[in-house]
Amino acid sequence: MKLTKYGHACWRLEKDGKVLVIDPGTFSGQGLLDGADAVLITHEHWDHLDAELVKNAPDLEVWTCEAVAEELSGAAGKVQTVRHGDAFTAAGFEVRAFGEWHARNHPDIPVVQNVGFLVDDEVFYPGDALTVPEARVGTLLVPTGAPWLKLGDMVGYLREVRPARAYSTHDGLYNDIGYMLIDGWLEGEAEHQKADIRRIPVGESVTLS
């Protein structure tokens, strides 16, 4: 499986000629759905969902929570609703859903639905939450920068999940100084856990065997 980092919170997975995209948001870059067979969307916030982009993509399978499915009503592709505990196949990838709610943010902002996805029993993407799935996680896409996230919580999440690999996501709010901080935090945790924990620059890929 080839895993490619797009901007901010978007990822592309490729296997056996099929392409699965997770959370194509409005500032994740261009060409997010090029060649995509299916899309997973964790929640409704615009940095994870470019609704117009997804709505206008023909022949696209979309798997998401109920709130996003309602927003994508009338989309050109097929939109399917999933909830915590569901399992399904998307473009040849086996996917399990974990979690129900976005992390608590501003006290005046309601908590929205959020579902995380475990792909091929290997890659777990929690969305905007620190969901610990009831499954072994080989590769964790770990949020590293958000209004709802503290450094101690991020480190605690890595230590609770204990993945063999973890790569930074939700990091588009940083400048070069912020990226330097992330790299230092993840390097320290990689040494602590003796694991591959780091930030993948936008546009670069890793191959998971």
Side-chain angles (χ1 to χ4, degrees), residues 106-189:
H106 191 286
D108 296 336
I109 298 176
V111 176
V112 301
Q113 294 177 346
N114 179 96
V115 60
F117 298 105
L118 178 62
V119 181
D120 279 353
D121 286 327
E122 172 61 36
V123 177
F124 184 62
Y125 185 99
D128 279 10
L130 299 179
T131 302
V132 178
E134 298 173 354
R136 185 194 69 83
V137 174
T139 302
L140 176 66
L141 303 180
V142 58
T144 56
W148 50 268
L149 182 66
K150 294 187 296 185
L151 172 60
D153 292 339
M154 183 266 285
V155 172
Y157 185 51
L158 283 167
R159 294 184 181 184
E160 186 170 4
V161 177
R162 304 294 296 190
R165 293 161 296 279
Y167 304 124
S168 170
T169 194
H170 213 281
D171 51 18
L173 302 179
Y174 285 110
N175 58 17
D176 289 342
I177 296 172
Y179 285 134
M180 181 179 66
L181 290 173
I182 289 176
D183 292 341
W185 297 332
L186 296 183
E187 181 181 356
E189 198 55 29

Side-chain angles (χ1 to χ4, degrees), residues 6 26-34:
Y6 283 178
T26 55
F27 60 82
S28 289
Q30 302 298 313
L32 302 181
L33 299 182
D34 289 354

